[in-house]
Amino acid sequence: MTATSLVRTRRVALAGALSVLAVAGLAGCSEDPDAGTNGVGKLPPEQIQSRTQQAAASVAAVHLSGTVVAGGATYKLDMRLKSGGSTGSVTADGASFQLLRVGEQLYLKAGADFWTHEDGKDGDAASDTAAADKLEGKYVKVPQGDPAYQRFSGFTDKNTLLGSLLTLHGTLATDGHHEQGGVRTIRITGDDGSGGTLDVSLEGQPYPLRLVRAGGAGTLVFSDWGKDFAVQKPPKGETVDYGKQLPTS
């Protein structure tokens, strides 16, 4: 083979290789982003929202974490929820406490600083401190007629909490394919995001995975869908029951 023919052969081979790469690149760019998924990414946004609401309602348990802004206060939540009970922690106004619900019975466990702050009334400082110290680290049973029950029980009720959270406001639209915690998602929005955004899993069941609430009212992440956990009444020696109303000064 002459030098000229050798160069021509190499040029033909190089051109062929570049053609193959170009075709492969075009094929890669045209891949279906919904291939191998549960298919909800191809649905209209209204149907995606409906499917994720149904999926969330059908499963027994979920882990919820993030922030919720309500009534002018910001609550940081880390809760495990199921129909028969819930457990987790809440931080609000710099005070942290634990919530435990077993059936309809709600228990609150916190440090002395929480009880001093929660009372919020002027009184005998020594008496207030003594009462707070007595409650520190105890599971205080919250009477159902006490305002605190209504205030905190909503954080422990899976169906009520998710039912109020998983509806976006305004005109719904899809906002592309994304990822949350290593899971592929389809994102839907309300009013271009001002009405909230919701990332829905494209793998397995179409569970909600991340919610940004409308009006900057918090961001929540959902995980461990269907993963059960145990809840049981705290030991009597660690429980304080004040009857029909929590103590005040």
Side-chain angles (χ1 to χ4, degrees):
M1 181 180 294
T2 65
T4 301
S5 61
L6 180 60
V7 170
R8 184 182 299 113
T9 300
R10 288 180 176 176
R11 285 178 177 174
V12 171
L14 178 60
L18 291 175
S19 297
V20 170
L21 290 174
V23 171
L26 290 173
C29 292
S30 63
E31 286 182 358
D32 182 359
D34 292 298
T37 71
N38 54 26
V40 297
K42 297 181 178 180
L43 299 177
E46 295 80 7
Q47 291 188 31
I48 297 175
Q49 178 174 259
S50 178
R51 290 284 185 89
T52 196
Q53 289 171 338
Q54 293 172 12
S58 68
V59 71
V62 64
H63 180 201
L64 176 154
S65 60
T67 58
V68 170
V69 180
T74 299
Y75 298 90
K76 183 178 180 181
L77 308 179
D78 187 358
M79 299 293 301
R80 301 189 70 87
L81 310 170
K82 66 178 181 179
S83 57
S86 304
T87 183
S89 64
V90 179
T91 300
D93 296 327
S96 298
F97 54 93
Q98 293 178 307
L99 291 176
L100 170 65
R101 184 172 64 83
V102 183
E104 296 300 317
Q105 296 183 354
L106 178 65
Y107 301 89
L108 192 156
K109 182 179 180 180
D113 57 339
F114 170 83
W115 292 108
T116 303
H117 176 80
E118 180 67 13
D119 188 285
K121 296 182 179 181
D122 293 328
D124 181 84
S127 177
D128 292 346
T129 301
D133 289 341
K134 184 177 180 180
L135 297 176
E136 182 175 20
K138 298 288 187 180
Y139 286 95
V140 178
K141 187 176 180 180
V142 183
Q144 293 189 29
D146 192 280
Y149 189 93
Q150 298 301 321
R151 181 181 176 188
F152 297 131
S153 62
F155 293 140
T156 69
D157 189 317
K158 171 183 173 289
N159 292 334
T160 299
L161 189 58
L162 296 188
S164 65
L165 289 174
L166 298 180
T167 299
L168 302 180
H169 303 285
T171 303
L172 300 184
T174 55
D175 187 26
H177 292 71
H178 299 268
E179 185 178 292
Q180 174 63 37
V183 177
R184 289 179 293 172
T185 67
I186 182 71
R187 181 173 296 169
I188 57 175
T189 66
D191 281 350
D192 296 324
S194 63
T197 68
L198 183 64
D199 280 47
V200 178
S201 176
L202 288 173
E203 302 177 18
Q205 295 298 315
Y207 295 129
L209 298 184
R210 184 175 184 269
L211 169 70
V212 179
R213 302 183 70 208
T219 300
L220 293 167
V221 173
F222 307 92
S223 60
D224 293 338
W225 287 101
K227 187 176 181 179
D228 197 15
F229 57 95
V231 289
Q232 58 185 6
K233 291 183 180 180
K236 288 186 177 180
E238 299 177 18
T239 304
V240 177
D241 187 347
Y242 277 92
K244 295 184 179 181
Q245 187 175 1
L246 291 180
T248 59
S249 298

